[in-house]
Amino acid sequence: MPPKTPSPALSAGAVLVLVAGFAVVFVGGGARFAIGLTLKAVVDDLGWGRAELGTAVALFQAVSAICMFLAGRLSDRADPHLVLAAGLFVAGLGIGAMSVMAAPWHALVLYGVVFAAGNGAASLIPVGVMVTRAFPQRTGFANAAVTSGMSLGQLVMIGLLAAVLVAIGWRSVFLWLGAAHLILLPLVLLAMRAGRTGDEPHSRRAVRGLSLGAAARTRPFWVLLAVYAICGLDDFFVSTHVVAFAQDRGLDAWLAGSLLALMGLTALVGVMIAGLWSDRAGPLWPTAASFVARLAVFALVLVDQSIPSVAAFALVYGMTFMVTAPLTVVFVAEHFGSRHLGALTGLITMVHHMAGGFGAWLGAVTFDRLGGYDAAFAVMLASNVLVLALLPLLRRPPAD
């Protein structure tokens, strides 16, 4: 029996890549939910309607989604660490400048364009590419471990920022988030230097797979786009409006913000289970389980909107929230190979986020016009039924 070679996942460079990727999505986990945390405070302070911030979120989703796709293509061709560093710098400037906004167009430009562009580059797409190169044998678990940073960021940062919001106002929330992005730049650059020796052999290894055009001629490609579009529709509707919804049902600002933070804790549990499960059985079963859970809680909140039901809705939904994120690279590698991993995962995530922008906008318009979220909940319920009908088409293909 030949001697075992040391696992590349144990190299110092690979571990530093994991730490840097975790830190990037940890901060992103706080930043992406800041608009939901501060929505009611901002509109009450500035006299806006919820649809005005909802429009900024929709623009953010579109711009960041396009930038995720571009970041994926760049990560296939160049060093993903550089893509991350540039994104952190731009995102930090954009979210920090939100602290001085005074008109709706400020939110559109700063959040919807500048922060969106940086956030799209400093996202799970280049992180997923560099982590997959560093951990080729445990892709599902390694990407789940990194993605858990987003859940912990939601738990820790939103918990802290909720206290900041109550104590010194919503402007300080955005100012601290801007500083957090810029502080990460040295760590990412250090990981880039280590990665040149840590994961270089894996980046040079010959890989095969379908190009974007070739993948688009297959059925799984379009099924994945549909599933991730509906996932995004759900995710950003909930993340943008759950704090305001909880406040509408009687929770105060701190408790509602803390509920959003606790969703990060349940998301951490869900994403780690999904990563381990996918390494054993493939990505299909954890994805199906998450949508069954979503279906149940959307049905619950349509019939009962008491505070215990709202809390149950938020915490159970939170467990499903990050499940599909680390599974994107697993689905793509399983069906299309890894040669164009960044471009394909970037495109799928772009569709996810664009649909998410529509979900955030839909929730805002539904509330402003109908005085509640029931119609939006019904749309989400129906969309989850469609996902469960589509998922059997993503069965693992037979090995060559």
Side-chain angles (χ1 to χ4, degrees), residues 298-376:
F298 280 129
L300 169 67
V301 82
L302 272 171
V303 299
D304 181 11
Q305 296 183 358
S306 64
I307 288 178
S309 290
V310 171
F313 165 77
L315 297 178
V316 174
Y317 188 92
M319 185 172 287
T320 75
F321 196 68
M322 302 295 176
V323 164
T324 60
L327 301 184
T328 312
V329 295
V330 185
F331 271 122
V332 169
E334 185 174 272
H335 287 279
F336 313 119
S338 300
R339 186 173 184 180
H340 298 280
L341 187 65
L344 285 163
T345 57
L347 179 63
I348 291 168
T349 308
M350 179 179 76
V351 171
H352 176 277
H353 279 56
M354 284 187 168
F358 178 74
W361 175 84
L362 177 67
V365 171
T366 298
F367 182 88
D368 285 348
R369 294 186 179 180
L370 302 178
Y373 293 111
D374 284 0

Side-chain angles (χ1 to χ4, degrees), residues 31-274:
R32 68 184 294 197
F33 296 108
I35 200 74
L37 174 68
T38 60
L39 186 147
K40 189 172 177 63
V42 170
V43 298
D44 288 349
D45 184 31
L46 299 179
W48 301 353
R50 294 188 188 185
E52 290 172 305
L53 268 187
T55 302
V57 174
L59 179 61
F60 164 86
Q61 294 300 125
V63 173
S64 65
I66 293 169
C67 291
M68 283 180 182
F69 173 62
L70 296 175
R73 292 185 69 91
L74 282 173
S75 297
D76 285 335
R77 293 168 168 78
D79 193 330
H81 301 82
L82 288 176
V83 178
L84 286 175
L88 284 170
F89 180 75
V90 174
L93 293 182
I95 197 73
M98 286 278 287
S99 62
V100 297
M101 70 176 177
W105 71 266
H106 294 164
L108 288 173
V109 172
L110 295 174
Y111 189 82
V113 178
V114 180
F115 175 64
N119 184 261
S123 67
L124 277 173
I125 307 307
V127 168
V129 172
M130 70 180 192
V131 168
T132 301
R133 290 177 183 174
F135 294 85
Q137 297 173 343
R138 298 297 303 275
T139 301
F141 180 73
N143 277 281
V146 168
T147 306
S148 70
M150 190 172 292
S151 304
L152 284 173
Q154 181 182 354
L155 173 65
V156 176
M157 294 188 68
I158 293 299
L160 292 173
L161 293 174
V164 171
L165 174 65
V166 172
I168 52 179
W170 61 267
R171 296 184 186 275
S172 296
V173 170
F174 293 113
L175 188 63
W176 281 106
L177 281 173
H181 280 81
L182 300 180
I183 288 170
L184 287 182
L185 282 172
L187 176 61
V188 171
L189 295 176
L190 181 62
M192 177 180 69
R193 184 175 181 182
R196 286 174 179 166
T197 58
D199 68 357
E200 190 174 3
H202 311 294
S203 64
R204 289 181 177 178
R205 179 182 299 161
V207 293
R208 63 193 183 100
L210 300 182
S211 67
L212 192 58
R217 293 192 288 272
T218 68
R219 184 172 64 181
F221 175 84
W222 296 103
V223 174
L224 273 175
L225 289 185
V227 168
Y228 274 80
I230 293 171
C231 180
L233 184 79
D234 295 348
D235 286 348
F236 289 94
F237 163 68
V238 172
S239 64
T240 303
H241 295 283
V242 69
V243 172
F245 174 60
Q247 289 176 269
D248 294 338
R249 306 315 301 172
L251 286 178
D252 63 32
W254 185 83
L255 285 174
S258 298
L259 187 62
L260 179 61
L262 286 173
M263 287 175 67
L265 181 61
T266 59
L268 172 63
V269 175
V271 77
M272 295 308 296
I273 291 173

